Amino acid sequence: MSEREVSCDPREIGSLFLFERLSPEQLGRLCAEGRVERFEAGPVYTEGEPATCFFVMLEGTVVMYRRVGADDVEVSRTSQRGVYAGAMQAYLGERVPQTYVNSMRVTGPTRFFVLPAQSFADIMQEWFPMAAHLLEGLFFGAKDTQRAIGQRERLLALGSLSAGLTHELNNPAAAAVRATAALRERVGKMRHKLAVIARGPYSREALAELIDIQERTAERVAKAPALSPLEASDREDELADWLEDHGIAEGWRIAPVFVQAGLDTDWLEQVAATVAADILPGAVGWLNYTVETELLMDEIDDSTTRISHLVDAAKQYAQLDRAPHRVADVHELLDSTLLMLSGKIGRRVRVVKEYDRTLPEVPAYPAELNQVWTNLIDNAVSAIGSAGGDGTLTVRTAREGDRLLVEFRDTGPGVPEEIRDRIFDPFFTTKPVGEGTGLGLDISWRIVVNKHHGSLQVESVPGDTRFRVLLPLTAPEEQPGTGTGTGSESAEEPA
C-alpha cells in the first residue's frame, strides 16, 4: 500500500449512491480490486492521458477542466459525495479511444475510491450485462444518430445556400437577358439609321465627322461621372431644353439617356459646331443609338461580372480544388459566406463589417470554418427574425493576444441565461419544431475547439448577442485526446 492509499471500508463504499444496492460480497470485491487513495491539492489526471482508472469521490472537492487551445477551461466544480469521473467508457473496450476526455484536479485533501479500468469493465459486463448492452447501444446509437442528423444539418444548410445562390444568380442573369434583347433592337435601329444616312445628302467629310463624334461619345460613356438624383434631374431639364431649342423631336426622351452617359449641353454644342444644322437631328439620333448601345453593353458586362463573382464566391465557399488544411484569409471566407447567404439574410437585416485587414492569414480547414460561419450567421438572422425581422448583424475581426477573433453580433432578443450553458449541447435547439436539429452549434464547437484548437464563446443580453470564435494565429502542436469529445462530455455528475 502506497503512502496515499488508505484502507478500503466496504461500508463506506456502500454508502455512496452509485453502490448503495450492491451486496456485501460485491462491495468486498470492489475493495479487493480497487483502493482508496488520498490526494493533496493538485492534478489527479490530465486530458488525453490513457484512461487507467475510474474515480468515485468519497470526500473533498473536485474541479473538471477541458483543454481549449492552449488553456484549461473550468467546466464544473463540486463537493458532492459519490460523483465519478475517469474511465467511464472502459466497458466499451477498444471500440472507442480509452483516454481521459478532461482533466481533474482537487482543491484540497480529497479521498477517492479508485477502480482500475479493466476491473470496472469486467464488473460491468459480469454484474450488469443487460445494462452494459443498453449503455453500449445508447452510446453508439447516439453517435450514429448524431452523425446522421449532422449530415441532414449540412444538407439543410446546402439547400438554403442553393436557394440563395439561385436567387442571386437569377437577378444578373435576367438583367443580362433583358439587356441583350434591348441591344439587339438598338443595333437593328442603328443599321436602319445608317442606311438612312447613307442615302442622304451627306458628304464624305460630314460622315467622317459623324464617325469621329461617335467614337468620342463612346469614350465619354465609359468615363461618365456619378450624379446625385437632383444633379441628374437638373441636367436632364437643361438637355431637354437644348434639344427642343435646336428642333430635335422627343428631346425629353433622349435627355435621360445622354445624362446617364455623362453628356451635357457643352458636349452638344461641340456636336452642333461640328456638323451642319441640317444634319444635326440625324447626328443626335445617331449618337442616341450609340449611347444606348454602349450603356446596354455596360449593363451586360456588369451582369456577367456579377455572375462570375457569385460563381467565384461559391467556389471559395466550397473550397473546391484547394487543400483541406492551409493558411487562409478569414475575411475571404467570411465574405464568400455572407454572399452565399445574402438571399436568406434579406433586405431587412443590415450587415456591418468591421474587419481588421492587418490580421495575418491563419492555419485552418477553410471549408469547415465556412460551415461555422454559416451556422452562426443563420442563427443570428433567425434571432433577428424572431424579434420582428429588422436588425443589424455585425461581423468583426480583431486580434486578441496570440489569437484571431471573429465575432458575430446580432440585435436579436438574446440567449436566456438559464439555457446559455446548454446551447452547445447536441440536439438542443430553441427553434420551432422542424426548423432546427440542434446540431449547428455542436458541430461549430467541434470544428473550432477540437479541429482548430480554438474556442467558441457566447455573451448575450437582450439586443446584443455575441458569438466569439478565437483561432490560434499559428498552428498549435497536436494535443493528445483533442480528437474526441464534445462540449457536453465534460459533465461528470450523474443525472
Side-chain angles (χ1 to χ4, degrees):
M1 181 179 296
S2 69
E3 293 182 2
R4 294 194 314 185
E5 290 187 38
V6 295
S7 60
C8 178
D9 183 354
R11 290 175 300 178
E12 183 181 30
I13 300 300
S15 68
L16 302 175
F17 62 82
L18 196 62
F19 306 129
E20 61 186 358
R21 293 187 178 276
L22 298 184
S23 66
E25 291 76 13
Q26 291 173 321
L27 293 173
R29 179 176 172 180
L30 286 177
C31 275
E33 298 191 20
R35 61 189 183 275
V36 173
E37 284 193 40
R38 178 186 176 90
F39 289 82
E40 299 300 326
V44 177
Y45 63 74
T46 302
E47 179 179 347
E49 293 178 346
T52 59
C53 295
F54 177 68
F55 296 83
V56 185
M57 189 179 73
L58 294 169
E59 62 178 353
T61 301
V62 297
V63 185
M64 309 303 300
Y65 296 85
R66 284 299 307 268
R67 172 71 63 170
V68 179
D71 303 319
D72 284 330
V73 178
E74 180 178 331
V75 293
S76 67
R77 179 185 296 252
T78 182
S79 300
Q80 180 182 353
R81 292 184 75 245
V83 295
Y84 50 88
M88 294 191 300
Q89 297 170 0
Y91 65 93
L92 297 174
E94 296 180 355
R95 287 171 293 177
V96 298
Q98 293 297 333
T99 57
Y100 293 120
V101 298
N102 45 40
S103 299
M104 182 166 71
R105 298 174 187 171
V106 295
T107 59
T110 302
R111 287 191 308 125
F112 290 97
F113 171 68
V114 183
L115 189 63
Q118 188 57 54
S119 295
F120 175 61
D122 293 341
I123 286 173
M124 284 290 294
Q125 297 292 346
E126 181 180 339
W127 291 356
F128 314 106
M130 183 176 178
H133 285 302
L134 288 173
L135 289 172
E136 179 180 328
L138 180 63
F139 179 84
F140 289 110
K143 290 285 187 183
D144 292 340
T145 301
Q146 193 167 340
R147 187 180 302 111
I149 296 185
Q151 292 172 349
R152 180 176 180 271
E153 183 88 9
R154 293 180 176 89
L155 287 174
L156 288 173
L158 180 61
S160 177
L161 288 172
S162 299
L165 181 60
T166 301
H167 174 76
E168 291 298 313
L169 285 170
N170 182 65
N171 290 335
V177 170
R178 289 193 301 269
T180 302
L183 180 62
R184 182 176 289 110
E185 178 187 352
R186 298 302 186 277
V187 170
K189 290 182 177 180
M190 283 186 69
R191 290 197 299 266
H192 174 72
K193 195 71 172 180
L194 182 60
V196 172
I197 291 174
R199 292 194 298 267
Y202 302 112
S203 65
R204 178 176 296 180
E205 291 76 13
L207 289 176
E209 290 171 350
L210 278 175
I211 296 301
D212 180 62
I213 291 172
Q214 182 186 41
E215 292 297 328
R216 286 187 288 132
T217 301
E219 292 176 2
R220 195 170 179 111
V221 172
K223 301 175 182 178
L227 300 176
S228 68
L230 183 59
E231 291 173 331
S233 178
D234 291 343
R235 184 170 292 186
E236 286 176 14
D237 292 340
E238 292 175 6
L239 287 176
D241 292 342
W242 190 96
L243 293 169
E244 183 179 351
D245 292 343
H246 288 75
I248 298 171
E250 296 186 331
W252 57 270
R253 185 182 63 82
I254 299 174
V257 178
F258 281 2
V259 170
Q260 188 178 355
L263 306 184
D264 52 21
T265 53
D266 291 340
W267 178 257
L268 292 179
E269 289 290 352
Q270 295 179 37
V271 174
T274 303
V275 301
D278 59 332
I279 68 171
L280 180 59
V284 170
W286 174 251
L287 293 179
N288 179 50
Y289 290 136
T290 298
V291 169
E292 286 185 334
T293 300
E294 289 295 321
L295 293 175
L296 287 169
M297 286 192 292
D298 286 344
E299 185 176 346
I300 293 172
D301 181 65
D302 290 341
S303 298
T304 53
T305 300
R306 171 70 173 165
I307 292 172
S308 178
H309 287 165
L310 285 167
V311 172
D312 287 343
K315 190 174 181 180
Q316 168 73 262
Y317 180 84
Q319 292 294 302
L320 297 175
D321 303 325
R322 303 196 180 196
H325 186 270
R326 62 181 180 85
V327 291
D329 184 347
V330 294
H331 303 109
E332 292 180 358
L333 305 181
L334 289 167
D335 285 341
S336 66
T337 304
L338 286 167
L339 183 56
M340 293 290 289
L341 289 172
S342 56
K344 182 164 189 176
I345 293 173
R347 299 180 181 275
R348 299 181 66 181
V349 177
R350 187 169 70 99
V351 178
V352 177
K353 299 178 183 178
E354 297 179 357
Y355 290 170
D356 180 357
R357 294 287 186 177
T358 65
L359 292 171
E361 296 183 335
V362 295
Y365 295 87
E368 299 199 28
L369 281 184
N370 281 340
Q371 187 179 358
V372 174
W373 312 151
T374 299
N375 291 336
L376 297 181
I377 292 170
D378 180 71
N379 284 350
V381 173
S382 296
I384 293 172
S386 68
D390 293 317
T392 301
L393 167 63
T394 303
V395 183
R396 182 171 73 94
T397 62
R399 182 169 187 153
E400 289 198 0
D402 59 350
R403 296 192 290 181
L404 183 148
L405 167 70
V406 181
E407 182 181 81
F408 299 86
R409 184 166 73 242
D410 69 73
T411 55
V415 181
E417 185 175 358
E418 59 269 19
I419 66 170
R420 207 168 296 163
D421 294 336
R422 302 177 56 199
I423 60 174
F424 296 112
D425 291 353
F427 309 112
F428 179 80
T429 180
T430 59
K431 295 179 181 178
V433 176
E435 293 187 16
T437 61
L439 283 181
L441 289 178
D442 172 57
I443 291 171
S444 299
W445 195 95
R446 290 171 178 270
I447 291 172
V448 172
V449 176
N450 292 345
K451 201 149 191 178
H452 289 84
H453 307 284
S455 66
L456 176 56
Q457 308 160 356
V458 60
E459 300 173 358
S460 183
V461 295
D464 186 1
T465 296
R466 308 182 185 203
F467 280 88
R468 295 164 47 86
V469 177
L470 287 160
L471 300 171
L473 290 171
T474 57
E477 295 182 4
E478 186 67 23
Q479 297 287 343
T482 54
T484 62
T486 71
S488 61
E489 286 178 85
S490 58
E492 299 297 332
E493 296 185 29

